Amino acid sequence: MAKLYSKKALANTKMLPKKETINFILNYSKALKMVKVGNMNFELLAN
């Protein structure tokens, strides 16, 4: 069990998202509108 924790972690590589992923998230956030009616909140997705 001690051997498992003494090894160096291999997760030091930098993970960068693709441009397509960033564009998808930005476009989704631009299309999302929050509307408050009284005490309730509605999420509207304009496609």
Side-chain angles (χ1 to χ4, degrees):
M1 192 89 150
K3 290 181 182 180
L4 294 176
Y5 295 108
S6 63
K7 290 183 181 179
K8 288 186 177 180
L10 298 176
N12 288 340
T13 59
K14 251 190 178 178
M15 295 174 44
L16 298 174
K18 293 181 182 178
K19 288 183 180 181
E20 294 88 12
T21 305
I22 293 174
N23 286 334
F24 175 80
I25 294 171
L26 287 175
N27 290 333
Y28 183 83
S29 67
K30 290 176 187 176
L32 185 66
K33 302 291 179 194
M34 299 292 291
V35 178
K36 186 172 184 178
V37 179
N39 291 335
M40 299 186 317
N41 291 328
F42 292 98
E43 296 176 1
L44 301 174
L45 186 59
N47 271 0

